[in-house]
């Protein structure tokens, strides 16, 4: 599992300490981390507004350019799921912390055992949550909840991700996307060389086509009907349609 983390504090010694503790905690773990460091709330918010998504944000409250409370309010407009862990020298922000749904609150100086415990708490919470599909487009990394994806559609070198909120573009071959999903125990119907369909949104299944919740009908190519039927039965627990 990979966890994307942002550390935002205007004290370089604190950001370095947090990075070091994260490295030590995950050094021998199957969990891998990717850490971005910010020194004011506004630059963090700007990065998130451009599409970057984090699993955990370690956020200082008192910063000069934009404080952690204001930053958290702006972050929550863009991402309601990220776990915000405040790291601060003061404990007098209880009401504000509550209103932005902070996950944990760490006081400075940071106690390593408390830090480790809260990271493990966050890791457990992330595992419980719906999985995400991570992709890149124009050198920017994005993440989408798998549950929001209706289907993938490839068109030459670009793959379109069709969601409830419209379509998005990503680089990558459909074969590679399918392999990544299977490796994560997530199964999509490969109805055609150019389509990969989320079973959650299939409302009607026929021998040679599928109808989705948004009214889209996708054909099932002849050479894929047997595999789609087998997968349908595995997911639905029904007899194979022949």
């Amino acid at each position: 599992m990979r966890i994307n983390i942002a550390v935002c504090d205007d004290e370089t010694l604190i950001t370095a300490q947090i990075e070091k503790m994260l490295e030590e905690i995950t050094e021998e773990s199957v969990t891998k981390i990717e850490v971005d460091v910010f020194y004011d709330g506004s630059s963090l918010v700007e990065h998130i507004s451009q599409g970057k998504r984090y699993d955990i944000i370690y956020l200082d409250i008192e910063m000069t350019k934009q404080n952690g409370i204001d930053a958290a309010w702006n972050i929550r407009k863009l991402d309601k799921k990220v776990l915000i862990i405040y790291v601060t020298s003061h404990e007098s922000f209880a009401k504000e912390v509550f209103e932005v749904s902070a996950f944990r609150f760490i006081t400075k100086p940071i106690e390593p055992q408390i830090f480790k415990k809260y990271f493990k708490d966050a890791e457990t919470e992330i595992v419980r949550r719906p999985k995400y599909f991570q992709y890149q487009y124009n050198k920017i990394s994005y993440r989408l909840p798998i549950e929001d994806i209706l289907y993938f559609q490839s068109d030459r070198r670009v793959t379109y991700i069709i969601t409830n909120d419209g379509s998005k573009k990503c680089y990558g071959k459909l074969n590679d996307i399918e392999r990544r999903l299977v490796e994560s125990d997530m199964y999509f119907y490969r109805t055609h060389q150019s389509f990969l369909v989320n079973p959650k949104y299939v409302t009607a299944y026929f021998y040679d086509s599928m109808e989705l919740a948004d009214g889209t009908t996708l054909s099932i190519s002849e050479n894929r009907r047997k595999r789609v039927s087998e997968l349908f039965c595995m997911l639905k627990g029904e007899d194979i349609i022949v």
Side-chain angles (χ1 to χ4, degrees):
M1 179 175 71
R2 177 175 293 276
I3 296 179
N4 294 315
I5 299 171
V7 178
C8 185
D9 195 305
D10 56 3
E11 297 182 63
T12 57
L13 290 177
I14 295 296
T15 60
Q17 181 187 8
I18 291 175
E19 281 193 281
K20 186 173 186 298
M21 287 191 292
L22 288 169
E23 290 172 2
E24 290 174 349
I25 292 170
T26 58
E27 187 175 12
E28 297 180 0
S29 171
V30 295
T31 297
K32 305 302 177 185
I33 60 171
E34 182 177 310
V35 182
D36 292 336
V37 175
F38 302 88
Y39 298 103
D40 67 84
S42 59
S43 58
L44 170 61
V45 171
E46 175 64 22
H47 204 57
I48 293 173
S49 71
Q50 292 175 358
K52 180 68 176 183
R53 290 293 177 265
Y54 295 101
D55 299 295
I56 305 170
I57 296 176
Y58 290 94
L59 184 61
D60 185 24
I61 289 182
E62 294 185 298
M63 294 181 287
T64 53
K65 191 169 182 180
Q66 183 180 76
N67 66 54
I69 298 297
D70 291 340
W73 274 109
N74 289 320
I75 289 167
R76 283 292 179 233
K77 295 174 185 177
L78 302 164
D79 188 341
K80 299 189 185 309
K81 296 180 180 180
V82 61
L83 302 179
I84 297 175
I85 298 178
Y86 275 117
V87 184
T88 182
S89 302
H90 302 280
E91 300 182 17
S92 58
F93 295 93
K95 179 176 180 292
E96 292 88 344
V97 167
F98 175 78
E99 288 177 345
V100 295
S101 303
F103 181 70
R104 293 290 187 273
F105 190 99
I106 298 175
T107 55
K108 300 175 184 177
I110 301 172
E111 169 57 48
Q113 289 304 314
I114 293 294
F115 185 91
K116 181 176 181 179
K117 180 184 184 305
Y118 287 173
F119 175 80
K120 291 298 183 181
D121 290 346
E123 186 179 37
T124 300
E125 180 69 17
I126 291 164
V127 168
R128 290 196 190 117
R129 291 185 169 189
K131 294 183 178 179
Y132 290 83
F133 176 73
Q134 185 164 316
Y135 64 97
Q136 281 195 335
Y137 189 71
N138 286 341
K139 298 182 180 180
I140 300 176
S141 294
Y142 300 93
R143 288 193 313 160
L144 282 172
I146 292 292
E147 63 183 16
D148 290 350
I149 300 173
L150 279 72
Y151 60 91
F152 296 90
Q153 179 179 359
S154 67
D155 182 10
R156 298 178 183 176
R157 302 176 69 178
V158 175
T159 294
Y160 292 88
I161 308 171
I162 311 304
T163 73
N164 292 308
D165 299 321
S167 66
K168 307 178 188 302
K169 295 179 181 179
C170 76
Y171 296 123
K173 297 178 181 178
L174 217 55
N175 287 343
D176 294 334
I177 293 172
E178 183 178 26
R179 175 183 50 77
R180 286 170 54 195
L181 291 169
V182 170
E183 288 174 352
S184 300
D185 292 323
M186 292 177 282
Y187 295 90
F188 276 46
Y189 297 121
R190 188 67 179 272
T191 61
H192 185 277
Q193 181 63 25
S194 300
F195 290 94
L196 201 52
V197 183
N198 191 341
K200 174 182 175 180
Y201 293 100
V202 176
T203 55
Y205 171 51
F206 308 101
Y207 173 67
D208 60 355
S209 64
M210 284 183 170
E211 184 176 309
L212 307 187
D214 66 346
T216 300
T217 298
L218 299 175
S219 62
I220 305 172
S221 61
E222 186 173 355
N223 65 327
R224 297 182 183 273
R225 288 172 190 166
K226 184 174 185 290
R227 174 56 185 155
V228 169
S229 178
E230 291 171 347
L231 182 56
F232 178 84
C233 296
M234 181 186 82
L235 298 175
K236 300 294 185 181
E238 298 175 2
D239 293 332
I240 293 178
I241 300 169
V242 296

